[in-house]
Amino acid sequence: MTEALIIDAVRTPRGIGKVGKGKLAHMHPQHLAATVLKAIAERNKIDTAQVDDIIWSTSTQVGKQGFDLGRMAALDAGYDVKASGVTISRYCGGGITAVALAAGQIMSGMEDLVIAGGAEMMSFTGQLDHPDGYYLDGGNLRLRAAHPQSNQGVCADAIASIEGISREALDALGLESQRRAAVAIAEGRFDKSLIPVQDDTGATVLEKDEYPRPETTAEGLAQLKPAFTRVRDTPVGDDGTTFGSMIQSKFPGLEWEPVHHAGNSSGVVDGAAALLLASPEYAKKHDLKARARIIAFANVGDSPTLMLNAPVPAAKKVLEKAGLTKDDIDLWEVNEAFAVVTEKFIRDMDIDRAKVNVNGGSIALGHPIGATGAILIGTVLDELERQNLKRGLVTMCAAGGMAPAIIIERI
């Protein structure tokens, strides 16, 4: 089986995902995705007619964010019509999965040049009307009875109680995310991959991440009110079920205090990212210098009711597939969907937190759902190069109680 090489990785800045506040919020999702597709083709001087496939991740595939965003964005980016595209969803984990699928096609010998990535405009998805009866189960009451799937923020609060993780610990992680992101931005650690977004006139719309709040303090975080108090009691359908009772139906007697808020949860943002992958033969023939190779990837399902606990088993599975131990990993990227996810991961895996999300995470920088996995792979690659390290592992929780994980090795 051949290797899958990472040739390059790019991303847009992450804009605040609210209409009227974010600088990207007025743009079309295809335009945002086309920005990174165009950049990765131009930076590497590839003939887009030779791109075998574009595997794209978008979580909410409706309206202008639907209709196979990967293919439409490629056309919008000026790619040759021979470059095909497909769009997938694994909710938050789709960006990692897109890269894994691209790597799998190359490793099998079926393809030679594949682009993987994703885009999500939460400024758009936040405007969509989701009736109370519609959530992850699509209103399927039979499924809901077997596997109740609550609101993710409510799940995060419940997990914190089950694990005995205090709000103080979660706020500390959120504060550290902001601090690390501020250092990374000040030192230009993201500059290698960052692609400014321009409008149709060529004017720059956004050239740096818009969401970080470097002025954040521990005192300020302590004053924030929990975000999911009301959500816990929100009815889901007409049968009296609430998001809180969904969890209690599987964990009778469980009571918990809301501890997550805007300062220790991932930011609502718009963004896109892309990675260029190639076989060794193609890279050599076309003089493409590889930056890393894909070592292993894995997927795991866990409790749909608690929803956020799969990253640890996913990391263990991918390490086993690779024949590695946690000590062989130099850097970890564990998506900060909620602070409890990363905090629990660090504790359960017993790893040095100084190696986890070293440039901050989604609490500080934001989480453009379908794009985040691809962003994190690019982030860990840049940092491996900056520190002259070897291996990075990226994982993240996904709705439905899933987690993909991937290990890359710098060349």
Side-chain angles (χ1 to χ4, degrees), residues 7 46-54 105-106 111-115 276-279 282-283 286 288:
I7 306 301
I46 62 171
D47 177 359
T48 59
Q50 295 182 8
V51 174
D52 293 310
D53 208 359
I54 297 159
Q105 287 193 19
I106 292 170
E111 309 284 17
D112 286 300
L113 187 67
V114 184
I115 295 173
L276 179 64
L277 283 77
S279 66
Y282 187 95
H286 296 273
L288 294 173

Side-chain angles (χ1 to χ4, degrees), residues 137 140-148 249-250:
D137 58 26
N140 181 349
L141 298 184
R142 182 178 62 194
L143 172 59
R144 186 176 299 172
H147 296 292
S249 69
K250 290 291 184 180

